[in-house]
């Protein structure tokens, strides 16, 4: 199959055509020609309003539910949502039932994802059943295709266990995650501890809980060596801690969830459980620091932290509802509303792929076509009609967004919304 992308503005700093408007010809999954104008010779033509293209976006924190929680989202629909939201690759968390904590479970995920346009990369559990007691079979799972190890949204409280994991994973260049939360400090907090939690009568979770855990992990990393990734940081101090660690030469990377870049705890005044996330929404000052962290390069990755929750566990009193928001469909429009395209596109493409050791396919001739198609100037209000996920728990409902994904070309497939 031959596909012709017409008048596409290329956003790819590694491409010789960066910021140029070109026609792009793709044959059997390979970019064969990039020119000012290519004549249509019975090709499959894609001509879209204000078409922009970049290297394929990679979301490094996605939950699908399957196996065990298919009512939230199954792999088939999840990958379709990801493709139509502009993601050519997703890293899938281990928070299913059973937990992805062994070789067979990793292979199950990979086999279920065969044949889709969007690539699925399993993040396997760091500990058995994600209980934080015994380390899982890390090497075997990596051999089966796991690209990292994490107990999704669960901190490892045992200092020695985290130390051993960092030491052990070095034998096969494994990447270890540590969720930034100290449960002893956070207690039963469900909102950022501060003015809003006090006004609303919600139990507060102090930022100190995040800082203590990050400080511990950085001390352990300095002692052990190895590679550490800290997912979904949410505070000013967290950015500062990681900045200092990078200055020391430690192999530490971090991500931030899009809702932590765009929404503050001011949203909680309506007690809408869609805003109940983990870590909790922080202050506007934290938002500014996180955005600065993106621009300065301290923060490596932007993720949707897509976490579908069924209505029975989400449409409850705020204190009883389960944490999490979906985010694939709103990801680009939300982040493009607060950052310039040049400030963040690498945090969705080359940087996350580098962190996870994956190849980034540049937009140039004779390169594999792994491309996201989007319009950065489309302004709209995100409504329920924009949600493609099985679960509807979006923190961005009725928010004004800027920019919309058209879809992707990847694995020799064109997927458009």
């Amino acid at each position: 199959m031959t596909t012709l992308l017409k008048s596409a503005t290329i956003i790819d700093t590694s491409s010789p055509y960066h910021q140029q408007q070109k026609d792009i010809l793709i044959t059997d999954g390979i970019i064969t020609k990039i020119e000012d104008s290519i004549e249509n010779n019975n090709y499959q033509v894609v001509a879209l309003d204000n078409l922009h293209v970049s290297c394929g976006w990679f979301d490094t924190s996605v939950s699908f539910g399957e196996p065990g929680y298919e009512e939230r989202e199954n792999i088939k629909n999840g990958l379709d949502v990801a493709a139509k939201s502009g993601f050519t690759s997703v890293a899938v968390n281990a928070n299913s039932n059973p937990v992805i904590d062994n070789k067979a479970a990793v292979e199950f995920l990979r086999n279920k994802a065969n044949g889709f346009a969007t690539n699925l990369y399993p993040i396997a559990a760091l500990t058995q059943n994600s209980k934080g007691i015994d380390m899982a079979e890390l090497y075997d799972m990596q051999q089966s295709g796991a690209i990292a190890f994490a107990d999704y949204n669960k901190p490892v409280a045992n200092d020695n266990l985290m130390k051993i994991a960092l030491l052990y994973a070095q034998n096969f260049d494994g990447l270890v995650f540590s969720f930034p939360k100290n449960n002893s400090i956070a207690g039963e907090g469900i909102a950022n501890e501060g003015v809003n939690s006090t006004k609303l009568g919600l139990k507060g979770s102090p930022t100190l809980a995040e800082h203590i855990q990050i400080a511990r992990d950085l001390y352990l990393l300095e002692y052990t060596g190895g590679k550490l990734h800290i997912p979904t940081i949410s505070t000013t101090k967290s950015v500062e801690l990681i900045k200092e660690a990078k200055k020391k030469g430690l192999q530490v990377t971090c991500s931030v969830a899009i809702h932590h870049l765009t929404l503050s705890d001011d949203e909680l005044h309506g007690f809408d459980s869609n805003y109940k996330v983990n870590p909790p929404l922080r202050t506007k000052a934290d938002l500014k620091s996180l955005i600065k962290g993106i621009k300065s390069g301290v923060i490596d990755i932007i993720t949707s932290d897509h976490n579908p929750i069924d209505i029975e566990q989400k449409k409850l009193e705020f204190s009883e509802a389960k944490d999490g928001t979906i985010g694939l469909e709103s990801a680009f429009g939300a982040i493009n509303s607060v950052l310039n395209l040049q400030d963040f596109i690498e945090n969705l493409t080359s940087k996350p792929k580098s962190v996870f050791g994956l190849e980034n396919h540049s937009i140039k001739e004779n390169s594999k076509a792994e491309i996201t198609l989007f319009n950065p100037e489309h302004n709209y209000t995100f409504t329920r009609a924009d949600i493609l996920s099985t679960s509807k728990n979006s923190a961005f409902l009725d928010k004004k967004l800027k920019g919309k994904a058209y879809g992707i070309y990847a694995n020799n497939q064109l997927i458009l919304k």
Side-chain angles (χ1 to χ4, degrees), residues 124-390:
L126 180 63
T127 65
Q128 293 177 24
N129 206 32
S130 288
K131 289 186 174 179
I133 299 172
D134 299 303
M135 194 164 64
E137 303 165 353
L138 307 189
Y139 177 72
D140 285 348
M141 292 191 291
Q142 189 188 58
Q143 292 300 296
S144 295
I147 59 170
F149 309 100
D151 293 340
Y152 178 68
N153 276 9
K154 293 182 178 179
V156 176
N158 187 317
D159 305 334
N160 194 52
L161 179 59
M162 179 56 68
K163 182 195 76 173
I164 291 170
L166 286 166
L167 287 168
Y168 176 66
Q170 291 177 60
N171 293 305
F172 47 90
D173 198 33
L175 178 62
V176 173
F177 280 42
S178 182
F179 185 64
K181 183 179 181 181
N182 180 297
N183 277 335
S184 297
I185 299 294
E188 298 180 356
I190 57 174
N192 179 60
E193 184 180 80
V195 173
N196 282 319
S197 65
T198 303
K199 284 182 178 179
L200 298 171
L202 298 173
K203 292 181 179 178
S205 177
T207 56
L208 180 64
E210 184 166 316
H211 306 154
I212 284 180
Q213 192 78 355
I214 291 176
R216 181 207 72 167
D217 291 331
L218 293 176
Y219 275 120
L220 288 174
L221 181 65
E222 190 170 9
Y223 177 81
T224 61
K227 296 192 299 185
L228 174 68
H229 181 73
I230 302 174
T232 59
I233 66 170
S234 65
T235 75
T236 300
K237 183 66 175 178
S238 297
V239 176
E240 294 171 357
L241 288 168
I242 293 167
K243 181 180 180 180
E244 290 305 311
K246 287 187 172 188
K247 282 183 179 178
K248 289 181 179 179
L250 300 183
Q251 289 192 75
V252 60
T253 55
C254 65
S255 69
V256 61
I258 291 171
H259 45 267
H260 286 123
L261 288 169
T262 54
L263 304 173
S264 75
D265 60 352
D266 289 345
E267 303 287 349
L268 303 185
H269 284 266
F271 294 98
D272 185 343
S273 61
N274 283 330
Y275 297 118
K276 189 182 181 189
V277 292
N278 189 16
L281 296 179
R282 304 294 188 184
T283 67
K284 289 181 178 178
D286 290 310
L287 263 67
K288 291 178 181 178
S289 296
L290 293 167
I291 288 172
K292 186 176 179 181
I294 292 289
K295 292 181 178 181
S296 67
V298 175
I299 296 174
D300 305 274
I301 297 170
I302 299 172
T303 174
S304 72
D305 200 25
H306 180 81
N307 189 7
I309 306 295
D310 55 277
I311 192 170
E312 287 81 4
Q313 296 188 69
K314 197 61 172 174
K315 199 168 184 179
L316 301 169
E317 290 184 18
F318 193 90
S319 60
E320 301 299 321
K322 190 173 179 63
D323 299 327
T325 175
I326 58 172
L328 285 170
E329 301 98 313
S330 55
F332 179 65
I335 189 61
N336 191 52
S337 299
V338 296
L339 280 166
N340 294 324
L341 194 61
Q342 299 299 323
D343 287 333
F344 73 85
I345 200 70
E346 289 186 356
N347 300 91
L348 292 176
T349 56
S350 57
K351 284 188 176 182
K353 289 170 186 173
S354 175
V355 168
F356 286 86
L358 304 175
E359 185 177 0
N360 187 55
H361 300 285
S362 180
I363 300 177
K364 58 186 179 183
E365 292 179 354
N366 301 316
S367 179
K368 181 179 178 180
E370 195 169 289
I371 297 172
T372 296
L373 294 73
F374 59 96
N375 178 354
E377 300 300 329
H378 181 79
N379 293 288
Y380 69 109
T381 299
F382 188 80
T383 68
R384 195 177 177 87
D386 295 299
I387 296 178
L388 305 173
S389 300
T390 304

Side-chain angles (χ1 to χ4, degrees), residues 35 41 45 48 69 124 169 175 183 206 282 314 319 391-392 407:
E35 294 182 357
N41 188 17
V45 176
L48 299 167
Y69 300 120
L175 178 62
N183 277 335
R282 304 294 188 184
K314 197 61 172 174
S319 60
S391 296
K392 311 302 178 185

